[in-house]
């Protein structure tokens, strides 16, 4: 097994805690807030490098699947 330095172990532990906090935070949002958070995060991400209609997974996920998921969440409202 790979032996990490004490500094790397501390960073890994911090990342694990942060990840768990984020998982809990988003798991506890209602549908409307989850959709709004998704839109906010997407607005602050680097633009996807594939245009709508490009036959690649990334374009389909960014331009088709995520918008459809958001539409459905928003239809359900604050559940």
């Amino acid at each position: 097994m790979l032996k990490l330095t004490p500094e790397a172990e501390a960073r890994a532990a911090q990342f694990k805690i942060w990840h768990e906090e984020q998982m809990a935070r988003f798991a506890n949002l209602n549908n409307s807030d989850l959709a709004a958070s998704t839109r906010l995060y997407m607005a602050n991400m680097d633009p996807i490098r594939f245009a709508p209609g490009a036959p690649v997974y990334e374009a389909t996920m960014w331009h088709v699947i995520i918008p459809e998921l958001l539409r459905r969440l928003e239809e359900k409202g604050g559940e």
Side-chain angles (χ1 to χ4, degrees), residues 14-53:
Q14 288 174 336
F15 290 166
K16 183 178 182 200
I17 291 168
W18 181 87
H19 177 76
E20 290 168 354
E21 290 171 350
Q22 295 301 307
M23 294 288 291
R25 174 181 166 215
F26 287 102
N28 287 307
L29 294 177
N30 64 37
N31 288 343
S32 295
D33 290 341
L34 180 59
S37 294
T38 302
R39 289 191 187 284
L40 174 68
Y41 273 70
M42 288 177 73
N44 286 288
M45 292 171 62
D46 288 333
I48 194 73
R49 61 182 181 188
F50 298 106

Side-chain angles (χ1 to χ4, degrees), residues 3-18:
K3 179 70 174 151
L4 298 176
T5 66
E7 295 83 9
E9 285 182 11
R11 259 191 332 273
Q14 288 174 336
F15 290 166
K16 183 178 182 200
I17 291 168
W18 181 87

